[in-house]
Amino acid sequence: MKKRKIAETLILIAVSALLLFGVPRFLMERVIVDGPSMETTLQNGDNILVEKVSRYFGALKRFDIVVFYPDDATKEANGRYYIKRIIGLPGEKVQIDGDVIYINDEPLQESFGSTQMGHAGLAKEPVLLGEDEYFVLGDNRFISKDSRSEAVGIVPLSRMGGKLVLRIFPFGKFGTVN
């Protein structure tokens, strides 16, 4: 009877440890928005939940809001991450002319970003995305540091941390995000 009680306690500890450390590491994570680059969709200080599984199954789509890291290191290693919206998908050609985004030479119809682009940066000339590369933009495009800048550039799948699924704070805005 005593051995069974010890075994149950060890199983309970193992399951608790898995939930405590495994869920945030491999399935879902809370991220805090830092800065105005995703306004008006997300504001500085918003808390969001990011799921980390869909990137493994090719489920990232145009207009998804994603968290990614500035290099191949993880957030745990360097504490830095970006939150942006996917605009260009693997294999596509992206170009920005004035305030118009072109995907494969066709103007992109969307209403997420601010109307003023500010600058085309790297996308002034056509950018051809590789098989696991994404072109991302902040919604506040006039000030956003995103795929247009050399500091961020094209985002390979290996740097993707996950996709936004839910805003959890502030409580008045709790819910899914367009």
Side-chain angles (χ1 to χ4, degrees):
M1 191 66 164
K2 192 171 190 168
K3 287 183 181 181
R4 182 176 177 175
K5 188 72 168 170
I6 292 172
E8 288 174 356
T9 302
L10 290 175
I11 290 171
L12 179 62
I13 291 171
V15 168
S16 298
L18 179 65
L19 290 175
L20 183 64
F21 298 109
V23 169
R25 178 82 176 139
F26 301 108
L27 300 177
M28 196 160 291
E29 178 177 17
R30 180 182 65 93
V31 176
I32 300 173
V33 176
D34 183 18
S37 72
M38 283 301 292
E39 290 177 352
T40 60
T41 306
L42 298 172
Q43 278 71 45
N44 186 46
D46 283 0
N47 283 237
I48 60 175
L49 279 182
V50 175
E51 62 87 7
K52 299 175 155 193
V53 178
S54 61
R55 71 184 191 107
Y56 296 110
F57 300 102
L60 297 177
K61 298 179 192 80
R62 188 178 333 277
F63 305 132
D64 283 347
I65 297 173
V66 294
V67 171
F68 64 94
Y69 306 107
D71 52 38
D72 287 329
T74 64
K75 183 183 84 170
E76 291 80 16
N78 62 20
R80 295 178 43 222
Y81 54 88
Y82 293 96
I83 302 170
K84 305 293 177 197
R85 188 179 298 277
I86 292 176
I87 298 298
L89 298 169
E92 293 182 332
K93 179 172 71 170
V94 179
Q95 187 171 12
I96 297 173
D97 185 15
D99 292 332
V100 179
I101 303 165
Y102 293 90
I103 304 292
N104 297 328
D105 300 320
E106 295 290 325
L108 179 65
Q109 301 298 317
E110 56 98 21
S111 60
F112 298 108
S114 58
T115 56
Q116 289 187 314
M117 191 68 64
H119 63 89
L122 296 176
K124 183 175 184 177
E125 299 298 322
V127 175
L128 185 59
L129 300 174
E131 67 181 45
D132 70 341
E133 294 179 330
Y134 296 83
F135 191 91
V136 298
L137 293 174
D139 285 357
N140 190 352
R141 300 199 174 135
F142 195 74
I143 66 160
S144 181
K145 189 176 178 182
D146 46 40
S147 285
R148 296 172 292 169
S149 91
E150 288 187 29
V152 175
I154 305 309
V155 181
L157 186 60
S158 64
R159 287 178 29 207
M160 288 288 184
K163 176 173 80 171
L164 180 144
V165 290
L166 193 66
R167 179 181 5 223
I168 57 175
F169 185 83
F171 297 124
K173 294 182 177 180
F174 181 89
T176 59
V177 177
N178 289 338

